[in-house]
Amino acid sequence: MINNNFNIPSSEDNLFTGIKECAEVKKLLSGMFAEDEPLYYIETFGCQQNEADSERLAGLCCAMGYKETANIKDASLILVNTCAIREHAEKKALSIIGEMKHIKEKNPRLIIGVGGCMPSQRHRAEKLKMSNPYVSFTFDTGAIHLVPSLVLGALKGGKRQFVFSESFGITEGIPTKVKNPYKAWLSVMYGCNNFCSYCIVPYVRGRERSRRPEDILREARMLVENGAKDITLLGQNVNSYGKDFDNTNIASLMREICKINGDFRLRFMTSHPKDASDELIAAMAEEEKIVPHFHLPVQSGSDRILERMNRKYTREKYIGIIEKLKKAVPDVSITSDIIVAFPGETEEDFSDTLSLLREVEYDMIFSFIYSPREGTPAAKMPDQIDRAVANDRYARLLSLQDTITDKRNARFVGRTLKVLCEEESKNDPQMMTGRADTPRPIHFKGDPSLKGQFVNVKITKSDLFCLSGEIEK
């Protein structure tokens, strides 16, 4: 069913059952907003999975009769989709939620809901309950499908609700309103079984569970039919996809998606090194639609720290995967995640991480200073690193990676790349921005009518954060 970018995939079971609540909300809103339209606003923090979840929240809002607004002060319904991976993300979300008190005072009928990873932690939901009385409800990552029921209860003046899922499942058929018709997130699995000692994800998103391949393929076909040119498969550990089924895995799934007719590219993230298989590397090498970009978080170059992190691989095994990858896909772009100043990290451990950067030569890294998460083993570890030491190591890491990134970006100068034109440049309306196989954005002069099309761009310049070029005539 397709209607104005509003997609509802179907499934034989585990279907979304909130259609009745959506209709009741729409009926109530028609009486409450006789002279103006009810508007919704969604604030999203965190990873690509949160972005995908927010597209489902937007779909639910549309199904309930709300229209989107870019101005939070005009909203009748505000949904905040939060992140809990690092303390900074939680503090930022709490600050913005705190500011909503003033919006609520001016608009008493405003409904505010908070979801995502942060209120999936009971202590955070309790804080919202006690400190933010204007928040109507919270919902964890397993309860997105319950939002229509929560909104309905709030509209009827019911008690505030704070939802915690007894178990995390998969609900198919939740309406989705895509943010960008050319770029699509496609969740293939949820949750994580790895329990890295620093990570809150298994506690706030539950254990690994895969979507059925037929549901994923159905949604992938729908995305392509509706104009998607760049599809990213999502999972907390996408390499584990299919372990709860027989005769399927992430490599075979990607090969099936590549059989779909259409001119599109396929990406995937995030991968765990312990599950990065030879079969997956072979699929990337052999399937033209799979972008030669592998995001493979390493977190540390020290075996001692990797063991404390409970990462379940060694530096040697990680390097072995990288070597196989580079042999199979010679021009592959490799990115990674690095944690600096993990508890107990010595200068020697940190030097091992720097040497790993030199050996692998990542195109780009996402690096963070370790942030304690309540409820994780690492938060209770001794030898927490002094902030000044952490900041110094972080600066040295970035300095080294900047040098490597400059070198990696420069290899594209003089090449012609197939670029998906995505949007106007934020700094120059005459320039367009797009992406190719490289993870860096590419800027080039072009007309906005090119949005959503592939164009051939000859790269003329490389900078640390982007590439620049000219459309080949």
Side-chain angles (χ1 to χ4, degrees):
M1 179 176 179
I2 304 167
N3 182 21
N4 295 328
N5 245 12
F6 182 47
N7 306 328
I8 304 180
S10 62
S11 178
E12 295 177 8
D13 53 24
N14 297 328
L15 277 171
F16 171 64
T17 58
I19 297 173
K20 178 182 177 182
E21 286 84 356
C22 286
E24 287 189 54
V25 169
K26 183 178 287 189
K27 184 177 180 180
L28 280 176
L29 292 177
S30 65
M32 295 173 62
F33 293 85
E35 298 180 359
D36 54 356
E37 289 185 322
L39 304 175
Y40 76 89
Y41 179 92
I42 298 175
E43 185 77 47
T44 306
F45 297 88
C47 66
Q48 290 86 353
Q49 186 61 66
N50 272 24
E51 294 283 352
D53 288 346
S54 285
E55 290 189 343
R56 294 196 292 166
L57 289 172
L60 289 171
C61 288
C62 293
M64 291 185 288
Y66 289 94
K67 303 291 185 182
E68 186 175 15
T69 178
N71 188 343
I72 191 171
K73 295 181 180 179
D74 293 337
S76 312
L77 171 64
I78 299 174
L79 298 176
V80 187
N81 192 5
T82 63
C83 175
I85 297 301
R86 286 172 295 280
E87 184 179 16
H88 175 73
E90 286 194 342
K91 286 184 175 180
K92 188 173 181 181
L94 288 170
S95 175
I96 289 178
I97 293 167
E99 294 171 2
M100 293 177 186
K101 175 183 178 182
H102 307 294
I103 305 176
K104 177 74 171 181
E105 288 173 347
K106 294 180 179 179
N107 180 12
R109 64 182 180 180
L110 169 66
I111 294 172
I112 300 172
V114 180
C117 293
M118 190 178 76
S120 297
Q121 306 166 95
R122 288 187 178 272
H123 71 281
R124 285 302 189 192
E126 186 66 23
K127 180 177 175 62
L128 288 167
K129 180 179 180 180
M130 302 304 296
S131 303
N132 304 85
Y134 46 88
V135 171
S136 304
F137 58 83
T138 69
F139 56 100
D140 63 20
T141 59
I144 290 175
H145 60 292
L146 298 179
V147 166
S149 177
L150 295 170
V151 171
L152 182 62
L155 285 172
K156 290 182 174 180
K159 294 181 179 179
R160 300 165 72 208
Q161 298 192 62
F162 300 84
V163 177
F164 294 96
S165 300
E166 292 184 4
S167 62
F168 290 84
I170 292 177
T171 302
E172 296 289 349
I174 295 178
T176 301
K177 183 178 184 297
V178 298
K179 187 175 182 180
N180 185 328
Y182 319 122
K183 292 180 63 178
W185 308 119
L186 178 51
S187 297
V188 300
M189 65 179 299
Y190 303 95
C192 183
N193 290 351
N194 289 311
F195 289 92
C196 298
S197 63
Y198 54 82
C199 187
I200 198 72
V201 167
Y203 306 98
V204 298
R205 285 196 173 271
R207 304 298 184 270
E208 290 177 357
R209 54 212 186 273
S210 303
R211 293 181 65 195
R212 300 187 312 176
E214 55 265 39
D215 290 327
I216 296 169
L217 289 169
R218 185 183 298 114
E219 186 172 348
R221 291 189 192 97
M222 185 184 301
L223 290 170
V224 174
E225 290 170 2
N226 281 277
K229 300 293 183 68
D230 195 298
I231 300 173
T232 301
L233 307 185
L234 296 178
Q236 268 69 45
N237 179 17
V238 72
N239 294 354
S240 291
Y241 172 79
K243 286 187 176 181
D244 38 356
F245 297 135
D246 294 325
N247 303 318
T248 188
N249 57 37
I250 186 62
S252 61
L253 175 68
M254 293 175 73
R255 288 186 185 276
E256 288 300 310
I257 294 175
C258 287
K259 293 178 183 178
I260 297 173
N261 290 328
D263 189 11
F264 66 92
R265 300 184 303 209
L266 188 62
R267 306 176 190 267
F268 61 99
M269 66 186 315
T270 291
S271 295
H272 194 293
K274 75 177 181 63
D275 300 311
S277 67
D278 293 348
E279 191 176 351
L280 176 58
I281 293 173
M284 174 177 282
E286 296 165 9
E287 297 288 348
E288 290 186 3
K289 289 179 179 177
I290 299 178
V291 174
H293 169 209
F294 208 117
H295 184 69
L296 194 63
V298 67
Q299 307 302 357
S300 174
S302 163
D303 281 341
R304 193 180 72 86
I305 296 300
L306 289 173
E307 185 175 1
R308 287 172 67 87
M309 289 178 168
N310 194 35
R311 290 292 286 174
K312 302 182 179 70
Y313 57 84
T314 63
R315 175 187 176 121
E316 182 181 7
K317 179 178 179 180
Y318 183 89
I319 291 296
I321 297 168
I322 296 296
E323 289 174 347
K324 289 180 182 179
L325 185 57
K326 288 183 176 181
K327 183 177 180 180
V329 190
D331 198 35
V332 65
S333 292
I334 303 174
T335 56
S336 191
D337 296 343
I338 305 283
I339 294 175
V340 174
F342 187 79
E345 181 188 71
T346 64
E347 183 61 29
E348 182 180 357
D349 294 322
F350 178 66
S351 295
D352 286 343
T353 297
L354 295 181
S355 70
L356 182 74
L357 263 62
R358 297 187 187 97
E359 186 171 357
V360 175
E361 292 195 328
Y362 295 107
D363 287 67
M364 182 170 60
I365 62 170
F366 300 88
S367 53
F368 315 96
I369 293 175
Y370 168 72
S371 175
R373 300 286 77 204
E374 183 176 327
T376 62
K380 297 179 181 179
M381 286 182 179
D383 303 321
Q384 301 283 328
I385 305 301
D386 179 79
R387 189 69 185 189
V389 173
N391 288 339
D392 174 69
R393 289 178 183 171
Y394 184 66
R396 289 155 57 196
L397 182 86
L398 292 184
S399 177
L400 172 59
Q401 183 56 44
D402 285 351
T403 301
I404 296 170
T405 295
D406 262 337
K407 174 185 174 182
R408 295 292 292 166
N409 286 349
R411 80 187 193 275
F412 291 106
V413 175
R415 296 190 195 179
T416 297
L417 304 180
K418 183 180 179 180
V419 179
L420 176 61
C421 186
E422 296 177 6
E423 60 186 359
E424 294 93 341
S425 169
K426 295 182 175 69
N427 301 319
D428 185 347
Q430 293 186 332
M431 300 292 289
M432 303 299 292
T433 296
R435 289 185 187 269
D437 294 345
T438 168
R440 288 301 186 190
I442 299 171
H443 302 304
F444 53 94
K445 184 174 288 188
D447 190 87
S449 62
L450 294 173
K451 282 194 291 186
Q453 299 181 35
F454 285 113
V455 292
N456 291 323
V457 176
K458 184 172 183 179
I459 305 303
T460 57
K461 180 183 177 183
S462 68
D463 293 313
L464 182 59
F465 299 108
C466 66
L467 303 175
S468 301
E470 300 173 347
I471 296 179
E472 285 196 338
K473 304 299 183 182

